[in-house]
Amino acid sequence: MHRAVYKVGLQYLAGDITGGNARCIAMLQAFSEAIRDYTTPAEKTLTRDLTAKIGSYVSFLIECRPLSISMGNAIRFLKNRIAKLPLTLSESEAKTSLCLDIDRFINEKIILADRVIVRHASTKIRDGDVLLTYGSSCVVEMLLSHALELGKKFHVVIVDSRPKLEGQSLLRRLVANGLNCTYTHLNAVSYIMHEVTRVFLGASSILSNGTVYSRVGTAAVAMVANAFSVPVLICCEAYKFHERVQLDSICFNELGDPQAVAKVSGRGDVNYLGSLGNKDNLQLLNLMYDATPSEYISMIVTDYGMIPPTSVPVIVREYCRDQLWI
Amino acid sequence: MDFQVVVLAGGFSKKLVPLVSKEVPKALLPVANRPVLSYVLDLLEQSNLKDLIVVVEGSDAAFRVGGWISAAYLDRLHVDVAPVPEDIGTAGALRAISHHLTARDILVVSGDLVSDVPPGAVAAAHRRHDAVVTATLCSNPVSGPADSGSSGAKDKTKKPGRNIIGLDPSRQFLLHIAAGAELEKDLRVQKSILRAVGEMELRADLMDAHLYAIKRSVLLEVLDQKETFQSIKKDVLPYLVRSQLKSEVLSNGAPQVEENGNDKVNSQSKRITQSQILANASNRSFHELYAFGPDGSASARRTHKCCVYIANNNKYCARLNSIQAFSDINRDVTGEANHLSGYSFSAHNNLIHPSAELGSKTTVGPHCLLGEGSQMGDKCSVKRSVIGRHCRIGSSVKIVNSVVMDHVTIGDGCSVQGSVVCSNVQLQERVTLKDCQVGASYVVTAGSEYRGESLAKKEK
């Protein structure tokens, strides 16, 4: 077990790193370091042995925390690059080539993609807008900071929810930048929605039927926005697209800690469930993700442009499978 | 997993005279009929840490320890025994073996630790935060009734091993540590640390288990620069904790900003975006927040992290550093913590070796250990004690709350209470010992009564 992979796994387990992009970047950097320190054992080929090693690292990471879809796509890319290494390369050349590939993936698919998305989406923000966002998405945060730099005048509503309360760190950073913000919880979203002009949301992944797979609560925000005829824009990099189809939130999800629903961290006195929590016919459910149907989405902003949700399978077919992420 | 283990096994400790002698260095003192070093080695073997360096003070002691280890752990562990000169302290011992240290992190364990705290968990806490040092803390063990006579000067103010530990609210980082003699003076807390973290929890009920995970580069740098540091616990650890926000030991501080060429600027900005994504998504510790300064820019303040691992309450942890601790650990390992001893206890909660012979009407109470080949006479009574191998114990002998080591002869009618009797001792008839320690190969004449004394053969 390489120490960088071990450290990243521990950070996932403890919840030190959250968010699809950050987890993917951390994992790829750890793999890059592991590849740099790797030496082929005698009597073995680099491709087969390195693929097996990466497989073992991935199993360890899965034990710490189930993989996000972005991480799964990145691992498929890496295994594909290892399999495509020409046999004539020496070991050090192969290792440098792989590390360069990983760097290029991070740069092109995440960093530059984010810049392109931010540039496109900031054209959709006009002066006087009231924008709403849910939870903490790094692309949406970059978009809001960029729009502020461009000098646009707008107001942001951050909707947050228990138990993770991810919106608070986003709120802190935006207020420190000088944005006018409103902070509220998910139970008030139907109240605040009549003032909102646009909704920007992030996504963990977008599936082939246009369903957006994102942090739990996103579906509720999108549906309320739809009811108020407010356009909903999803900002998502193309490397997060997946050819799977999911009809509801339950068939594929991640379970969080059930006690986090019953207890409030830092407040030991808030224990309203009490002994009721131990009963057999009560099960505490803490889902991490949910699925938003495509009819509630107005537009998806990706690094391939601004597309309607029905165009997602086109991008998956044209750009993702054949060219294999290059 | 890139950890190298160093076991500091001491030499002939002066606090444990007369239990230790030329033949029995401190590391080989028996606890529940096993040398105390075997507890540490078993714990490391269970955690799959098989490459060890055992440091012993004094070449005699090193020879004996080395001999025992190679006999007992022949194929199970790979151990290098390194002798160092006597009385150079724990930091000095590490300085002496510094050329053997190659891994990225070093796990320093004290050889007199009897515990089941998993070293893997300490290593995980160390790696998760990329810390410079991680200390292991556990709650203070319950001590038995203190010996009235044998503990030297009467210390009413504090028990040995008291610490004052400062922790941050999440109980992961070590903010302050003060131990021993410093407790009598005023407590001085670094204001910068307090300001950076906001809230500090001061605790006096935690004991330092002497299981440290230290980054090797930092350890070697500190040992090089500070020649006067003798002890890890008293010097090195407080120094690292005190300087955690004004780090002078890290050679790889915050990344330097390069200034030439457009290409460099481009890649620099990409790297900045990347690190920003990572930073925004993760929980920052107060070190990172401090290093970034009030205006958010990466200033030149370098910090390092001192982490702490607090063992669960149900883990047993004790150190053999005094005679009282020796009796306590023996009592605990046969009593509450008997999973540590590795033996399986019988239904009566005691362990009598199959080859031991008991006379008629002899009772052996719970929490007792009777070694192999020992013979007890009639009408004896053994309560809460440990008896070693090949002892010959006469009739009508009462042994309560004591430790009797190997090859001891006890005559008829003796009464041994709360005492430690070392190997090869001969107690003649009707001897009464209460709270005494009898050194190795001593002969106690018949009919004598001793209370609270330490008997040992005069060295010629």
Side-chain angles (χ1 to χ4, degrees):
Chain A
M1 182 55 52
H2 192 264
R3 56 167 189 278
V5 179
Y6 184 66
K7 175 173 167 198
V8 159
L10 285 177
Q11 284 177 328
Y12 287 167
L13 180 65
D16 280 347
I17 301 188
T18 53
N21 281 343
R23 286 173 70 192
C24 192
I25 293 181
M27 176 188 77
L28 286 177
Q29 282 176 342
F31 281 170
S32 191
E33 223 185 294
I35 289 179
R36 264 194 287 269
D37 292 341
Y38 169 80
T39 48
T40 325
E43 311 291 330
K44 297 221 174 122
T45 51
L46 177 106
T47 47
R48 294 230 183 91
D49 192 57
L50 187 56
T51 316
K53 237 195 160 101
I54 300 276
S56 73
Y57 293 159
V58 169
S59 320
F60 171 70
L61 291 179
I62 294 181
E63 288 259 349
C64 297
R65 196 182 155 184
L67 293 181
S68 68
I69 297 188
S70 56
M71 288 165 70
N73 286 343
I75 291 170
R76 256 198 307 176
F77 159 77
L78 180 63
K79 286 195 173 161
N80 190 274
R81 295 307 297 162
I82 297 177
K84 286 237 171 105
L85 280 177
L87 289 167
T88 51
L89 281 187
S90 78
E91 180 179 318
S92 53
E93 284 174 4
K95 293 197 308 191
T96 22
S97 146
L98 280 175
C99 293
L100 276 179
D101 279 336
I102 292 181
D103 280 337
R104 210 154 48 106
F105 183 88
I106 295 180
N107 262 335
E108 289 178 9
K109 299 288 168 189
I110 307 184
I111 314 275
L112 286 179
D114 284 344
R115 285 208 200 139
V116 170
I117 293 176
V118 161
R119 240 197 11 225
H120 280 298
S122 50
T123 59
K124 294 289 175 193
I125 302 180
R126 304 164 304 194
D127 283 343
D129 261 347
V130 176
L131 310 175
L132 183 136
T133 179
Y134 175 75
S136 159
S137 163
C138 67
V139 193
V140 175
E141 182 181 342
M142 279 198 256
L143 163 68
L144 296 172
S145 313
H146 182 75
L148 186 68
E149 274 167 37
L150 291 179
K152 308 205 174 183
K153 308 260 176 299
F154 56 96
H155 189 100
V156 177
V157 176
I158 301 178
V159 179
D160 202 4
S161 79
R162 272 201 69 231
K164 290 196 123 195
L165 290 174
E166 288 170 327
Q168 285 182 351
S169 52
L170 173 68
L171 174 70
R172 246 177 234 153
R173 288 192 291 268
L174 290 181
V175 168
N177 270 347
L179 268 178
N180 290 328
C181 299
T182 301
Y183 176 81
T184 178
H185 276 210
L186 190 59
N187 48 3
V189 71
S190 54
Y191 167 74
I192 201 113
M193 193 56 79
H194 70 94
E195 297 180 351
V196 171
T197 56
R198 297 220 199 295
V199 174
F200 281 95
L201 298 171
S204 171
S205 163
I206 306 195
L207 309 172
S208 264
N209 57 345
T211 310
V212 173
Y213 185 74
S214 178
R215 177 68 72 218
V216 63
T218 315
V221 170
M223 286 189 229
V224 172
N226 193 50
F228 279 80
S229 315
V230 174
V232 175
L233 291 91
I234 307 283
C235 304
C236 176
E237 300 88 352
Y239 85 103
K240 289 181 177 168
F241 290 2
H242 200 271
E243 64 256 12
R244 206 174 71 213
V245 169
Q246 191 170 328
L247 295 176
D248 62 30
S249 311
I250 286 282
C251 57
F252 182 86
N253 211 317
E254 184 187 330
L255 284 176
D257 173 25
Q259 287 307 316
V261 174
K263 297 202 186 346
V264 181
S265 71
R267 293 278 309 269
D269 51 326
V270 177
N271 189 10
Y272 297 127
L273 264 190
S275 56
L276 216 55
N278 299 333
K279 286 219 155 104
D280 273 341
N281 49 356
L282 173 66
Q283 194 176 3
L284 296 167
L285 183 63
N286 184 5
L287 290 176
M288 306 252 64
Y289 295 105
D290 71 9
T292 311
S294 59
E295 51 260 28
Y296 301 119
I297 314 287
S298 316
M299 181 156 72
I300 304 181
V301 188
T302 78
D303 43 332
Y304 289 111
M306 299 196 270
I307 56 172
T310 46
S311 301
V312 169
V314 175
I315 298 212
V316 170
R317 192 183 62 227
E318 298 292 327
Y319 291 108
C320 295
R321 204 98 56 91
D322 300 349
Q323 295 193 355
L324 285 164
W325 313 104
I326 304 300
Chain B
M1 207 231 317
D2 225 14
F3 267 94
Q4 205 172 10
V5 186
V6 174
V7 181
L8 299 174
F12 299 108
S13 158
K14 294 190 188 62
K15 285 190 242 170
L16 289 171
V17 167
L19 302 182
V20 297
S21 63
K22 271 196 113 78
E23 290 86 35
V24 183
K26 178 170 118 169
L28 296 182
L29 262 187
V31 169
N33 288 340
R34 283 169 54 181
V36 70
L37 192 59
S38 69
Y39 289 95
V40 173
L41 295 180
D42 276 351
L43 183 68
L44 292 170
E45 185 187 359
Q46 276 166 11
S47 316
N48 222 14
L49 292 162
K50 299 218 168 135
D51 269 310
L52 319 173
I53 302 179
V54 175
V55 178
V56 189
E57 285 180 14
S59 40
D60 270 349
F63 181 65
R64 283 180 207 282
V65 173
W68 171 74
I69 291 181
S70 40
Y73 286 91
L74 186 54
D75 281 329
R76 292 152 63 185
L77 295 173
H78 175 252
V79 180
D80 278 324
V81 179
V84 293
E86 306 205 358
D87 277 341
I88 53 173
T90 44
L94 285 179
R95 219 176 266 133
I97 58 155
S98 51
H99 48 278
H100 288 300
L101 302 173
T102 49
R104 195 159 173 262
D105 292 290
I106 315 282
L107 201 66
V108 178
V109 189
S110 174
D112 57 6
L113 180 70
V114 176
S115 159
D116 55 352
V117 171
V122 180
H126 185 77
R127 279 281 156 78
R128 177 176 151 210
H129 293 286
D130 223 1
V132 143
V133 65
T134 302
T136 314
L137 303 175
C138 51
S139 28
N140 272 331
V142 176
S143 173
D147 285 353
S148 47
S150 59
S151 61
K154 298 239 175 126
D155 250 327
K156 292 205 181 106
T157 47
K158 53 190 181 290
K159 294 201 180 86
R162 273 274 290 273
N163 300 318
I164 298 223
I165 310 262
L167 300 172
D168 77 317
S170 66
R171 295 205 186 149
Q172 282 165 4
F173 297 109
L174 195 56
L175 303 177
H176 179 80
I177 180 163
E182 295 174 24
L183 283 181
E184 302 193 5
K185 309 184 209 157
D186 301 326
L187 197 66
R188 295 182 146 203
V189 175
Q190 295 266 330
K191 204 156 72 168
S192 55
I193 297 183
L194 194 55
R195 218 181 303 149
V197 76
E199 210 180 283
M200 173 156 79
E201 184 185 339
L202 281 174
R203 294 182 64 164
D205 61 339
L206 292 174
M207 178 187 89
D208 190 344
H210 268 247
L211 184 81
Y212 304 112
I214 316 183
K215 208 174 201 172
R216 178 183 69 104
S217 49
V218 171
L219 178 66
L220 295 180
E221 214 179 302
V222 170
L223 290 179
D224 269 338
Q225 283 176 4
K226 311 272 173 186
E227 303 270 319
T228 53
F229 279 178
Q230 292 283 47
S231 153
I232 296 182
K233 174 175 162 153
K234 290 197 205 101
D235 300 321
V236 175
L237 186 63
Y239 167 70
L240 287 174
V241 170
R242 266 197 320 264
S243 63
Q244 60 184 296
L245 290 182
K246 299 177 292 199
S247 172
E248 294 146 28
V249 296
L250 279 188
S251 43
N252 48 333
Q256 309 301 329
V257 178
E258 290 153 17
E259 300 201 349
N260 29 349
N262 262 334
D263 277 349
K264 291 266 176 83
V265 170
N266 244 341
S267 65
Q268 193 63 32
S269 71
K270 282 196 197 125
R271 221 172 305 149
I272 290 182
T273 325
Q274 184 173 318
S275 51
Q276 240 177 10
I277 296 183
L278 277 179
N280 285 348
S282 42
N283 291 336
R284 282 169 160 196
S285 73
F286 68 93
H287 302 90
E288 281 127 22
L289 291 169
Y290 182 79
F292 274 97
D295 48 358
S297 59
S299 62
R301 283 188 263 203
R302 295 191 313 213
T303 64
H304 62 243
K305 296 188 189 167
C306 300
C307 286
V308 73
Y309 173 75
I310 302 188
N312 229 336
N313 270 339
N314 58 3
K315 299 278 179 202
Y316 179 74
C317 186
R319 286 195 61 220
L320 185 64
N321 46 9
S322 68
I323 296 182
Q324 177 62 36
F326 181 68
S327 310
D328 287 340
I329 296 182
N330 267 304
R331 190 196 64 219
D332 287 332
V333 174
T334 51
E336 295 126 20
N338 54 13
H339 56 274
L340 277 179
S341 65
Y343 307 129
S344 50
F345 278 60
S346 69
H348 298 286
N349 235 352
N350 56 14
L351 181 72
I352 304 181
H353 200 272
S355 62
E357 289 167 17
L358 298 176
S360 62
K361 296 209 184 132
T362 297
T363 54
V364 178
H367 303 306
C368 289
L369 218 68
L370 205 54
E372 69 178 302
S374 292
Q375 286 172 356
M376 301 204 61
D378 307 326
K379 292 207 202 130
C380 294
S381 152
V382 178
K383 293 193 182 128
R384 304 212 107 207
S385 302
V386 176
I387 301 186
R389 303 177 183 83
H390 305 295
C391 293
R392 301 270 174 286
I393 303 183
S395 328
S396 305
V397 170
K398 270 178 41 180
I399 306 185
V400 178
N401 257 342
S402 304
V403 179
V404 175
M405 298 193 196
D406 307 334
H407 301 285
V408 168
T409 309
I410 302 188
D412 302 332
C414 288
S415 163
V416 179
Q417 272 190 0
S419 307
V420 180
V421 178
C422 292
S423 315
N424 290 315
V425 159
Q426 194 185 0
L427 295 182
Q428 294 177 342
E429 290 89 22
R430 284 170 283 112
V431 165
T432 307
L433 294 176
K434 197 164 187 309
D435 298 329
C436 300
Q437 296 89 42
V438 184
S441 305
Y442 194 77
V443 176
V444 181
T445 50
S448 32
E449 254 190 52
Y450 291 103
R451 271 176 208 277
E453 288 197 29
S454 161
L455 311 167
K457 263 171 92 164
K458 296 274 188 293
E459 296 285 326
K460 291 196 179 61

